[in-house]
Amino acid sequence: MVGFTEVSNRIGPERVFALIEHVLGHARTCVEEHGGYVVDTAGDGMLAAFGAPVAVEKASLEACRAALAFREALGSSASDLEASFGVLPQFRAGLAGGNVMVARTSAEHVRLIGAPVNEAARLQALAVPGEILVSGTISNETEGYVTTEGRGEVEIRGFAEPIEVHALVGLTRVVATFEGSRRRGLVDMISRERDLDAALGALRTGRTNRTVVISGAPGIGKSRLAHEITLALAPDRPVHVGQCASNATDYAPIIDVLRQAAGAPFGFDRAECLAALFARHPDLENSAAARAFLEPLGGQRDPSERAMRDRDFLGELLVSLQRKTGAVYLLEDAHWVDTATDGLVAALSRTDLALVITARPEHAASWALRPGITNIDLGPLSDEAICRLAEASFGRPLSNELGDLIAEKSEGNPLMAEEIARTLRQSDRLTETAGEVGIAPGQTGPFLSGNLEQLVLSRVDRLTPEQKATLQAASVIGRDFSGDLLARALGRPAGLEEIAATPGLIEAGQAGRWRFAHALIRDAVYASLLSAQRQAAHRVVAEAMEAIEGPGPESFGVLAEHFDSAGMRGKAVRYLVRSAEQHLSAYALRDVDRDLARVHAAVAEDPSLLDDEEYRLFVLVWLRALDQIGDFGRLKSVAAQILPRLEAMGYSPSLGIARTLTSIAMAHARDYAGAEALAERTRREAEAEGDAWAAAWSKVALMRIHDETGWKDRGLIEEMATEIGPVAEETGDSHLAMNALYLLSSSYRSSGYRLKSLEVAKRLEALSVSHDDRRAKAFSLWARALVYSIDGNPEMAHTLGREARGAAIPGSADERVGRGIELFALSFLRPAEEMRPQIEALVAEAAALEDFNISDAMEWTLCLLDLRHGDLARGWRRLVELIPSLEARGNLNILRQASISKGEILVGIAGLLDPASEAPPERPKFERKRPGLADIVTFFRLRLTARRSAEHVYRTCLDLDPLKHGPNFARCEIGLGLIAASRGETERAREHLSRGLVEAEGEGHALLASRARRAISRLR
């Protein structure tokens, strides 16, 4: 009440007490009529709660309704109050929402503890007489049902950040219609028949792409549509389901699919599932590949080959199984998919595999946007469809009043509608007249609304205390849970059959497995636990898992989450490290980064959580994952934080490899001096300690640095490659050999020895065959593709780059390299407007990761793309801005290519060279942009000095080429020859052109040789 002290002094304590009792009696009635609970009426105010301790549907709306009802009641009785008490009392209110702890102090009384209580009190104090202020949370939850006026953000005592404040004005007409849903952006939708037809059409045999992605909000009907697809398919097309779950092991949903295909019971491990599958389908058995897949994970020096091999094995098995049986694969809840499965699905989505995926909208997989994939986005059902759904649930027609009410409260969400109907069937609030189900008079209030959590909890409240505790413990395990594990955690029989008698809560599965009827039901039950209860429950579940199953690779991640939620950080971080090691072996690289970032945060606070050996493993797994991702900026940052402890332990092979990975990241980020110093230090220490393997890897880093900077003679790079070979052979490290050969090929290519570069690429290919190493095959393809890119043969470069990219894991550094090669080649073969957005996106992506090799190369590609398609002003501006940047960053190879292209552009502007005329006739030709004023001005400005400027560029490039050999040398000599010929300097031109021809022919560069011959033939 506003001005309580003044009113008390004016009318006296006895009358003010009677006034307060009278007014608060009205308030109590309004609260209770809207499902609220009066917590306290101390002094001149009242504290009420909606949704606690008793569940209330759409609690925020009911709180608003109660506050407005009280304000209206007070206004209508104002004259009576003034006549009876001699004053006109004024009240104000504050409403806030969120989680609170409910503490029962006695059988009749509770206390509320939490930030919303304080927030509501502060809002009440801010309100003017007669005003109801609500928090941003309340405003958001009641949008479309009430009208409010914004009051902006307000700083209030006790809160670190300003809070959003709104004044509650009144209810809208939406309380009796579906208009509220529309106001929130939801629109009426047709029923799902059209969606079903689209899915079945996409899955029909003969289509080149049969991937269907069904997305929508929780409860909107994704699983139901998937079920209808299953029913509509021919009887000879079985559907095998893989259930995705948070913190599941790598490929867990794929193993689910294979388990069902094999007819194996739940609980079979991977080996047992495969054995059962091959027993049922002997012609699918590939014993060697299966053994390799079942080898223990972890310990690989480079996990990429294992990851690609596993992906290929599972992909080929799924494809073969489907071709034989006609099966359709269904992956449920892909918003929780593990990254290994997501990578496999991305690869399979390019095939004709019949695959149905359900996911929430936040699962924004880039592969799902590819042409040919069928995306079905489910929206809310129409009022009429909701009524039909409710009638089916009741089994009888509904009155208009009840049908409208369910449509309003469910907001078009079929799960909500089903839950409302189920809750009503269990109540005494229904009537039946002439075979029509209706709602009893006076029962249309707060019990029926669309808040699923409150609906679920209102049914859970009907269980016995022991059953409720069982359900809460099950929610800690997850949506799917083992009855045996639950019983072990509870220390008593779970009694799940009795709980299942209450419809809509849990369902029995196979082999003692159970699941909540819907993920949202599990979430609602879990959310009802207080933090202390959750912590204790997670601990007993984790300890029960250790006791029953024993810690193993498939449980590391789950155990880590349980122990972390239990507040047992020591066990949590150790399991997280072991889980990350498994993720690395499956190439689930982002999962590694996520998990080990959590470990680092914990270890930073308490270093004793990991001993030295565990810490070494933690460092290596994290840095290897970041290296494979190609996030070199993050790798440097992480290394700066975690290497000091490793350094303090003294030299070890782990330290040597960790430093090398850091050095390579520094080179990608263009800190060549720092990278060289770190790699040299590592080489010296490793050789002093007799660690030939780590010393060899440090030489890999040095090879990269010296090749890109030109700081050392190529002979040193050849020498290091020769030294690395025997170490790789002795240690069985094919990826060490692969990197050395790839960098040797790169060194030959950049120094002009084209044929030697291709010869080493062949050695790389032979290595890939002898070691069955797919990644080495990709490296050999890249090495060749890069040669052909420089040659001016984008057709061959694209063919090789596309093949190499197909072997890469999505989201990895390898995939990004392959994409860059493909885009460079396609920039010659596709229209500029198609290629520019893709290239710009890769520039931004690579720059954000500090992978400047790719971002710089793609920036250069953009320059060439603009210039080739007639955008002279923009292309030239890009190029002249790029070259100084390349000089500052220090990569000599890209600088040389950009500079030579600058010279050729100038020679072309001078009219001495037409690269377009040298293209093969079958290459696509695209209409060039019509020159604008800026293009014309740029052309004539450059033409004035084109020959002189080009000559300067070519001579500068020759200064960058100490060996004076190969295609780059030939380009410069031929360019200088063309310039000399245009000036009438015939002998000088002949000398330049002849040197260029010799080099081009010597390295098998047909395009340059032809260019030189034509120019020589035109000399007098």
Side-chain angles (χ1 to χ4, degrees):
M1 189 171 81
V2 180
F4 175 77
T5 302
E6 181 184 345
V7 171
S8 182
N9 290 335
R10 182 175 169 186
I11 66 175
E14 291 184 9
R15 295 185 71 194
V16 82
F17 176 77
L19 171 63
I20 293 297
E21 285 293 293
H22 180 82
V23 173
L24 291 186
H26 278 303
R28 180 183 293 274
T29 299
C30 293
V31 167
E32 292 177 348
E33 283 182 349
H34 290 84
Y37 183 90
V38 176
V39 178
D40 190 12
T41 57
D44 61 336
M46 172 183 287
L47 174 63
F50 294 78
V54 179
V56 176
E57 301 80 23
K58 208 175 283 289
S60 295
L61 178 59
E62 299 308 328
C64 291
R65 283 173 166 164
L68 290 167
F70 173 65
R71 185 166 69 181
E72 183 179 349
L74 199 62
S76 63
S77 62
S79 57
D80 293 338
L81 288 172
E82 189 169 19
S84 299
F85 297 99
V87 294
L88 184 60
Q90 293 181 307
F91 284 77
R92 59 192 178 196
L95 304 179
N99 293 324
V100 297
M101 188 182 79
V102 181
R104 189 169 291 279
T105 57
S106 67
E108 295 82 20
H109 297 95
V110 299
R111 288 182 61 201
L112 300 183
I113 302 170
V117 179
N118 299 330
E119 187 177 2
R122 302 287 186 264
L123 289 173
Q124 178 273 138
L126 289 173
V128 300
E131 188 175 43
I132 304 167
L133 292 184
V134 302
S135 68
T137 301
I138 298 293
S139 176
N140 290 337
E141 290 181 356
T142 58
E143 181 185 359
Y145 292 91
V146 302
T147 56
T148 62
E149 294 178 353
R151 293 288 189 264
E153 291 189 339
V154 178
E155 293 186 2
I156 59 176
R157 182 164 52 88
F159 288 78
E161 301 292 334
I163 66 167
E164 186 181 343
V165 179
H166 300 260
L168 180 62
V169 177
L171 296 172
T172 67
R173 66 185 180 90
V174 63
V175 293
T177 70
F178 190 53
E179 182 66 23
S181 297
R182 299 188 187 95
R183 291 185 183 188
R184 299 187 201 196
L186 303 178
V187 296
D188 289 352
M189 295 286 291
I190 62 170
S191 297
R192 305 301 188 210
E193 291 82 6
R194 183 176 296 179
D195 298 318
L196 177 60
D197 290 343
L200 294 174
L203 293 171
R204 71 178 185 272
T205 303
R207 276 179 55 96
T208 55
N209 191 298
R210 296 191 292 164
T211 299
V212 178
V213 180
I214 304 171
S215 62
I220 205 66
K222 301 183 295 295
S223 297
R224 177 59 183 271
L225 179 57
H227 177 67
E228 293 296 328
I229 292 170
T230 301
L231 295 179
L233 290 170
D236 60 348
R237 296 189 72 186
V239 176
H240 303 313
V241 183
Q243 179 64 54
C244 304
S246 58
N247 300 306
T249 54
D250 300 312
Y251 295 123
I254 304 302
I255 301 303
D256 277 350
V257 165
L258 297 177
R259 179 184 296 113
Q260 292 171 44
F266 192 92
F268 268 33
D269 61 21
R270 295 182 175 201
E272 292 169 320
C273 285
L274 289 177
L277 181 67
F278 295 149
R280 175 175 284 194
H281 302 288
D283 53 321
L284 299 182
E285 184 169 1
N286 183 337
S287 300
R291 281 196 302 272
F293 175 72
L294 295 171
E295 287 176 358
L297 295 173
Q300 293 96 341
R301 286 169 171 164
D302 187 329
S304 58
E305 172 60 22
R306 167 64 186 265
M308 288 187 282
R309 187 181 66 199
D310 287 353
R311 187 189 68 174
D312 289 350
F313 167 68
L314 291 174
E316 291 165 7
L317 187 57
L318 290 171
V319 169
S320 299
L321 179 65
Q322 188 170 100
R323 287 175 179 165
K324 178 180 180 183
T325 66
V328 174
Y329 304 133
L330 168 61
L331 293 189
E332 285 266 41
D333 296 328
H335 42 275
W336 288 320
V337 69
D338 62 277
T339 53
T341 299
D342 196 44
L344 174 58
V345 170
L348 293 175
S349 68
R350 295 179 179 272
T351 70
D352 65 349
L353 199 76
L355 183 63
V356 179
I357 297 163
T358 69
R360 294 179 184 172
E362 58 264 30
H363 178 63
S366 59
W367 57 261
L369 303 177
R370 284 201 300 267
I373 292 178
T374 301
N375 283 277
I376 299 175
D377 299 321
L378 299 184
L381 294 178
S382 66
D383 290 6
E384 184 270 336
I386 287 291
C387 289
R388 283 195 283 121
L389 182 66
E391 286 186 340
S393 179
F394 282 102
R396 286 164 290 174
L398 304 185
S399 69
N400 290 337
E401 180 185 16
L402 180 56
D404 290 346
L405 191 62
I406 294 175
E408 172 203 340
K409 302 301 183 180
S410 67
E411 301 177 359
N413 187 302
L415 176 65
M416 294 284 197
E418 291 174 358
E419 291 300 320
I420 292 169
R422 184 178 287 116
T423 301
L424 279 173
R425 289 203 309 271
Q426 298 171 15
S427 74
D428 56 359
R429 303 186 178 206
L430 298 176
T431 62
E432 185 169 353
T433 305
E436 187 177 82
V437 180
I439 188 74
Q443 299 299 324
T444 59
F447 187 81
L448 289 178
S449 77
N451 188 317
L452 178 64
E453 182 175 340
Q454 297 297 332
L455 280 169
V456 172
L457 295 181
S458 66
R459 262 187 287 124
V460 172
D461 283 345
R462 299 192 186 101
L463 301 175
T464 67
E466 186 175 87
Q467 289 175 329
K468 187 186 296 187
T470 298
L471 208 60
Q472 289 172 332
S475 75
V476 169
I477 299 173
R479 183 183 178 187
D480 295 272
F481 56 93
S482 158
D484 291 341
L485 175 60
L486 180 60
R488 179 66 178 250
L490 292 168
R492 58 173 172 80
L496 295 171
E497 292 78 6
E498 290 79 7
I499 297 175
T502 299
L505 291 178
I506 60 173
E507 302 167 348
Q510 295 181 344
R513 302 290 300 182
W514 293 78
R515 74 178 341 215
F516 283 89
H518 195 280
L520 293 179
I521 295 174
R522 178 264 170 187
D523 293 347
V525 175
Y526 184 76
S528 70
L529 288 166
L530 298 177
S531 58
Q533 292 175 308
R534 288 184 194 175
Q535 191 174 61
H538 279 288
R539 176 170 184 164
V540 297
V541 167
E543 291 174 345
M545 284 185 67
E546 286 186 314
I548 292 178
E549 304 171 6
E554 296 191 1
S555 63
F556 289 155
V558 177
L559 283 168
E561 292 305 317
H562 281 306
F563 279 118
D564 185 52
S565 298
M568 301 175 69
R569 291 199 306 173
K571 279 199 163 186
V573 298
R574 284 190 285 275
Y575 277 126
L576 273 175
V577 172
R578 297 170 76 182
S579 174
E581 187 181 17
Q582 303 302 309
H583 286 318
L584 179 63
S585 297
Y587 228 56
L589 304 174
R590 290 295 179 187
D591 292 346
V592 177
D593 188 26
R594 176 202 65 206
D595 289 350
L596 295 188
R598 292 171 57 192
V599 171
H600 177 242
V603 172
E605 293 182 10
D606 183 0
S608 67
L609 292 174
L610 294 177
D611 63 27
D612 287 353
E613 282 306 309
E614 291 167 334
Y615 191 82
R616 289 189 180 100
L617 177 62
F618 155 68
V619 170
L620 277 186
V621 170
W622 200 359
L623 295 187
R624 278 176 171 161
L626 292 173
D627 175 70
Q628 299 289 358
I629 292 171
D631 194 342
F632 301 112
R634 180 158 171 75
L635 193 155
K636 290 191 306 169
S637 173
V638 167
Q641 298 172 66
I642 64 178
L643 284 189
R645 175 174 166 180
L646 201 60
E647 294 277 3
M649 296 177 194
Y651 182 82
S652 67
S654 298
L655 176 60
I657 298 302
R659 283 181 183 165
T660 295
L661 293 171
T662 306
S663 174
I664 292 171
M666 294 166 72
H668 276 279
R670 299 297 190 254
D671 180 6
Y672 287 118
E676 183 184 41
L678 184 59
E680 280 288 2
R681 176 186 172 198
T682 302
R683 181 189 61 78
R684 290 193 302 270
E685 292 185 18
E687 289 176 346
E689 294 289 336
D691 186 357
W693 179 62
W697 270 107
S698 70
K699 292 174 185 176
V700 166
L702 290 168
M703 288 177 70
R704 173 181 290 277
I705 295 162
H706 296 157
D707 173 40
E708 294 179 3
T709 62
W711 288 349
K712 302 289 185 182
D713 183 80
R714 196 195 70 243
L716 179 60
I717 296 176
E718 292 176 309
E719 181 182 326
M720 286 191 287
T722 302
E723 292 170 349
I724 289 170
V727 177
E729 186 69 27
E730 183 179 343
T731 58
D733 190 346
S734 63
H735 287 92
L736 174 59
M738 174 193 78
N739 276 276
L741 288 173
Y742 179 76
L743 290 169
L744 181 61
S745 175
S746 174
S747 174
Y748 282 136
R749 181 182 69 249
S750 58
S751 58
Y753 288 85
R754 176 182 179 275
L755 297 179
K756 282 190 175 182
S757 179
L758 291 172
E759 179 189 343
V760 175
K762 287 185 179 179
R763 289 168 58 190
L764 250 178
E765 185 176 12
L767 175 74
S768 74
V769 173
S770 63
H771 289 75
D772 189 22
D773 191 325
R774 290 166 178 78
R775 195 176 184 212
K777 177 64 179 297
F779 272 50
S780 73
L781 292 167
W782 290 336
R784 293 165 59 200
L786 289 168
V787 169
Y788 290 117
S789 295
I790 295 173
D791 282 356
N793 187 344
E795 292 83 2
M796 180 62 76
H798 176 243
T799 299
L800 296 169
R802 181 175 55 187
E803 184 181 352
R805 188 182 172 195
I809 302 292
S812 66
D814 289 358
E815 186 272 339
R816 201 159 49 250
V817 170
R819 187 159 27 119
I821 293 173
E822 273 196 83
L823 290 177
F824 178 81
L826 289 173
S827 70
F828 292 82
L829 308 174
R830 300 276 175 84
E833 59 272 16
E834 176 186 338
M835 298 310 304
R836 185 176 290 110
Q838 298 181 59
I839 298 171
E840 289 175 341
L842 184 54
V843 168
E845 178 186 339
L849 300 171
E850 296 191 29
D851 189 347
F852 292 120
N853 278 346
I854 292 179
S855 65
D856 287 346
M858 290 296 100
E859 287 274 16
W860 174 52
T861 303
L862 282 173
C863 300
L864 300 183
L865 184 71
D866 287 339
L867 292 163
R868 254 193 325 273
H869 289 266
D871 202 340
L872 177 61
R874 180 165 62 175
W876 184 259
R877 185 177 63 253
R878 281 186 192 270
L879 188 59
V880 296
E881 290 174 355
L882 176 63
I883 287 176
S885 173
L886 295 175
E887 289 175 339
R889 287 179 177 164
N891 188 312
L892 185 65
N893 298 332
I894 299 178
L895 173 62
R896 183 187 292 117
Q897 295 302 321
S899 298
I900 291 175
S901 64
K902 181 181 178 182
E904 292 188 345
I905 292 161
L906 288 167
V907 169
I909 289 174
L912 308 179
L913 179 67
D914 181 13
S917 67
E918 298 176 331
E922 64 273 13
R923 183 174 299 169
K925 294 179 175 57
F926 304 102
E927 185 177 353
R928 290 168 61 88
K929 168 182 169 287
R930 184 175 181 178
L933 179 60
D935 300 313
I936 295 170
V937 170
T938 301
F939 177 83
F940 284 108
R941 177 173 57 83
L942 293 176
R943 188 177 177 89
L944 291 173
T945 60
R947 289 184 298 178
R948 185 170 66 253
S949 298
E951 183 177 19
H952 173 73
V953 169
Y954 284 135
R955 295 198 180 282
T956 301
C957 290
L958 289 175
D959 290 340
L960 296 175
D961 188 356
L963 297 178
K964 304 293 187 290
H965 178 80
N968 289 328
F969 176 73
R971 285 182 187 275
C972 293
E973 288 289 349
I974 294 170
L976 289 170
L978 293 173
I979 294 168
S982 72
R983 292 170 175 166
E985 300 170 352
T986 304
E987 289 309 312
R988 186 178 174 197
R990 194 182 308 279
E991 290 176 7
H992 284 301
L993 292 170
S994 297
R995 283 197 292 267
L997 177 61
V998 168
E999 289 299 323
E1001 289 180 334
E1003 288 297 332
H1005 201 301
L1007 185 149
L1008 290 179
S1010 177
R1011 181 184 297 177
R1013 289 192 198 98
R1014 285 197 306 271
I1016 292 172
S1017 70
R1018 290 195 295 267
L1019 294 176
R1020 297 193 188 103

